[in-house]
Structures are given as structure tokens and as C-alpha cells.
Amino acid sequence: MMKMITTLIAGLILLFTQLASASQAVDAMLKVYSDAGAGPFSAEAGQRMWTEKHRHNKTPMERSCSSCHTSNLGDSGKHAKTQKVIKPMTPGVNAKRLTDTKKIEKWFMRNCKWTLGRECSAQEKGDFLLYIQK
Amino acid sequence: MMNIYRKLLTIAAVIAASTVLFSGTVYGDDDDHKWGFGWFKQSKLDVAPVNNQVYREECGSCHFAFQPGLLPEKSWRKMMTGLEDHFGDNAELDAETQKSLLDYLVANSADKSNYKRSKRIMGSLRQGEVPLRISDTLYFKKKHDEIPLRYVVDNKDVGSYSKCEACHKRAEAGSYDDDEVDIPGVGRWED
């Protein structure tokens, strides 16, 4: 009986640790960015940058985050080239967003390079995360 | 003398017989495989469907998850070494994921596949050709050469030949049969 209860509790703990929430992943990343010397972070700055238009040597046209994700985080977007639908960014509408730190870093890497022509700084990434999470 | 005639006759018979036997595969139209039932028809898919979840996620989040059997091994190797400029987009992956996807692509590439379209694509390649776009292969071009540009490139619901699934309704399952084609705003396509 004791053994069964122990197993059950262990199982439940495992279950809850697996269900990572957006805030957990965001907190973990904000810690990484703070450790890199960035902060404090601002959702307003993230929002400002979201629609900022960029031009660089990889693109003939202006690019911004909203080119693909739209300026409303609750809306579905479209890949600028392939037109494939991109699900909403805000965790409030799409619970899967911001739950996986590896994915967060992967998409920052790809999309900052596409949009800005360079990687984003720790400060910028922190600002974006707060804005998206809001 | 009699012997030579007999030999010639035998050779002629063999040639005639093999022409009849193989003409179906050599000259027959790809799309006339209406025969077969149930599970047997299932095995007549055009290319092996994608069966790798990481591939589906990593590649399929931006575009149609093209089946590995649509390009040869050399193409996939070249593609996977240039992900930072992937047709103008950045598609960089961490080293571990990149390796596992390359392994998957190579193991299921057109050169290693027994599926019909994979073999046809391979057969249409020129010596030394390493296509990065499926639509650059001669086989693809031949299969699409009668379709007007306004149905694809200038069609707002299609836009590009890279969007297989826009017209091939069962593309994701690895089926590219003519009868399943439905061009948005145009309808069925009769070859």
C-alpha cells in the first residue's frame, strides 16, 4: 500500500514537472539573459520593436516581426514566402507558445537574422518575451 | 544452316515477349494504376510518406514537409549544409537536430527508395545534377508542363510549385495521383 502511494506521488510529480507553463520557460530564459548582463526588461520596448521595419543586405523589402506574425499577437499569421499559416503567438490563445526554452532560442536565432539581419541581443530577447507573454 | 534460323527465331521470340511484358512499365502512363484493391492499392503510393515527427515539426512548420524520396541523397546533403540561407530564409538548426534530420533524409532519399515517383525523379536527373528544388528536376517539369502559370504561380491560392498540397489533396500521405488534383479556383485537372 505504502509502495503504491509512493509510486502515485512520484508519478504526479513527474506529470506536473512535464507540464511546463509559458511563465516557467520565460522565467528561465529571462534568468539566462539577466546573467548575460541584460535587464531590466520591458514589454513596451518589445511591442515597439515588434512592428519596427528593418532593411538589410539580405532583403530588397522592409521586414518586421509583424510581416509574418501580424501586429496582433492573438491572430494567426502567415509565412511571408510560403504563406503557411503561423498559429497565434500569445500563450493566452495558443497554450503551446513559450513553453520550450530550446524552441524559444531556435526561433529567436532564425527570425532575428531574417528580420534584423543579425542575432538579437539578450536585452531585445527579454523585451520580446515579456511582450509576447503579456 | 537450319540451326542459325532456329537461333534467330528464338532471339526474335524473346525480344517480342519482353516487349510485351515490359511495355507497361516502360511506355505506360504513370497515372493509369486504377487496378488493385484495399491494402494493395495503399502500397501503390507515389512516394513514402513522412514518418519522422522531428522532420514534420522542424521543416513542416514553415513549408510543406516534402517527402525525402523526392530528392536524391546528394541534394539533401547540400541542402542541410546551407540552412542559414535556405532559399533566402534562415532555417538554422542545432547540430544535433541537423544531424538526425540529415540521417533521416539520406536513409529515405530518392536513390534509396523503391517508390514509383522517387525512381522516376532519379531517372530524369542529368549526370552530376544536384537539384535543390524538386521543381527543377526534369521529371517534375514534364509532369507539370501543361499547366498554365495562372493556375499556379499567378493563382493567389497557390502561388508556387512548392506548395504541393495546394492542388494535390493527398500529398501529405505521399499520394500524387492525377485524379486527386484539385486546383484552387480551377477545379479538377484532366491530363
Side-chain angles (χ1 to χ4, degrees), chain B residues 129-191:
Chain B
E129 186 184 357
V130 185
L132 286 181
R133 292 172 195 273
I134 299 153
S135 53
D136 280 347
T137 64
L138 194 61
Y139 179 67
F140 182 99
K141 285 182 181 164
K142 260 166 59 186
K143 296 307 285 182
H144 294 86
D145 64 354
E146 286 171 18
I147 300 163
L149 278 182
R150 65 176 189 279
Y151 288 0
V152 181
V153 182
D154 301 327
N155 183 339
K156 68 173 173 54
D157 296 319
V158 184
S160 161
Y161 279 105
S162 66
K163 293 179 73 182
C164 307
E165 81 289 8
C167 305
H168 295 273
K169 295 304 169 194
R170 291 188 62 236
E172 210 179 311
S175 178
Y176 292 89
D177 197 294
D178 265 12
D179 296 343
E180 295 159 4
V181 170
D182 188 358
I183 304 172
V186 179
R188 303 257 157 213
W189 175 258
E190 301 292 335
D191 199 6

Side-chain angles (χ1 to χ4, degrees), chain A residues 75-86:
Chain A
D75 285 349
S76 284
K78 256 186 185 178
H79 190 285
K81 195 169 192 179
T82 67
Q83 306 291 309
K84 183 142 184 162
V85 172
I86 304 169

Side-chain angles (χ1 to χ4, degrees), chain A residues 27-39:
Chain A
D27 288 349
M29 287 322 297
L30 290 181
K31 168 109 182 30
V32 172
Y33 303 146
S34 301
D35 289 348

Side-chain angles (χ1 to χ4, degrees), chain A residues 47-61:
Chain A
Q47 178 165 20
R48 233 179 1 256
M49 290 189 296
W50 191 259
T51 48
E52 215 167 53
K53 294 188 169 76
H54 303 272
R55 243 176 210 287
H56 51 88
N57 61 1
K58 286 262 173 68
T59 171
M61 50 137 190

Side-chain angles (χ1 to χ4, degrees), chain A residues 5-43:
Chain A
I5 292 171
T6 322
T7 318
L8 198 72
I9 291 171
L12 281 175
I13 290 171
L14 195 72
L15 186 74
F16 283 116
T17 48
Q18 298 262 310
L19 295 171
S21 72
S23 60
Q24 276 176 335
V26 170
D27 288 349
M29 287 322 297
L30 290 181
K31 168 109 182 30
V32 172
Y33 303 146
S34 301
D35 289 348
F41 303 107
S42 136

Side-chain angles (χ1 to χ4, degrees), chain B residues 82-118:
Chain B
L83 286 181
E84 61 287 347
D85 184 5
H86 186 63
F87 305 102
D89 277 0
N90 185 296
E92 276 176 272
L93 289 166
D94 62 272
E96 192 191 334
T97 312
Q98 180 175 352
K99 170 82 171 59
S100 89
L101 290 183
L102 179 61
D103 289 347
Y104 167 67
L105 288 165
V106 167
N108 295 281
S109 58
D111 353 22
K112 299 194 180 57
S113 175
N114 269 321
Y115 282 76
K116 186 178 71 182
R117 308 277 185 180
S118 299

